[in-house]
Amino acid sequence: MNRRLDDATTVKTHSESDKARAETESTQVTTARGLVAEIRAMMVDQRETYEGQIQAMQEKSSAQIESVRIQHQSDMRAMTERMAGIEGAFRRHSEWDDRATAALRQTQHDFPDPPPVKFDS
């Protein structure tokens, strides 16, 4: 009878050990699943944060490019206006140079022509 009792105790002990091992593994699986879920949530949050930062930087970059483009257009208009003013002044001065050269040649026949001025277009 002691032997049967020992065998029964052994079977019961093994069963309890198996049950405890199964419960431990179940707890570990639950913990691992929880960690995986937390990591996924963190990755989603991080991706959303990065995408937001990228979008903000793209918007800032686009705004800077637009600002530079507008400034460039303004500068080009100002330079075109200035060049037109310089060319107009040159034409008016050129007429004066021609009259002055003609008047000087009346007394100094070998007076040279004024040097040419070229505007590169």
Side-chain angles (χ1 to χ4, degrees):
M1 181 157 170
N2 280 341
R3 181 148 175 97
R4 278 181 138 189
L5 186 59
D6 286 344
D7 288 343
T9 303
T10 302
V11 169
K12 181 181 177 193
T13 303
H14 283 298
S15 294
E16 289 175 351
S17 294
D18 290 344
K19 181 182 175 189
R21 193 175 9 252
E23 288 175 355
T24 301
E25 288 174 4
S26 175
T27 302
Q28 289 174 345
V29 167
T30 302
T31 302
R33 285 181 180 158
L35 289 172
V36 168
E38 285 182 38
I39 290 169
R40 284 185 179 152
M42 286 173 31
M43 289 174 70
V44 167
D45 289 346
Q46 189 176 39
R47 183 177 56 236
E48 289 173 355
T49 299
Y50 287 159
E51 287 173 353
Q53 290 172 345
I54 290 169
Q55 181 65 30
M57 292 178 78
Q58 287 174 335
E59 290 171 3
K60 183 179 177 183
S61 177
S62 294
Q64 288 173 337
I65 289 170
E66 182 63 15
S67 174
V68 168
R69 187 186 68 75
I70 289 169
Q71 184 62 45
H72 175 71
Q73 287 177 339
S74 175
D75 292 347
M76 288 303 294
R77 277 192 300 274
M79 287 174 57
T80 301
E81 291 169 4
R82 185 171 181 197
M83 188 66 170
I86 290 170
E87 288 175 347
F90 171 75
R91 278 191 292 281
R92 288 188 301 277
H93 195 273
S94 178
E95 293 170 10
W96 182 85
D97 283 346
D98 291 342
R99 286 194 312 266
T101 300
L104 281 169
R105 284 192 179 149
Q106 289 176 359
T107 58
Q108 293 182 357
H109 301 293
D110 60 346
F111 189 80
D113 287 334
V117 176
K118 295 181 183 179
F119 292 98
D120 293 334
S121 300

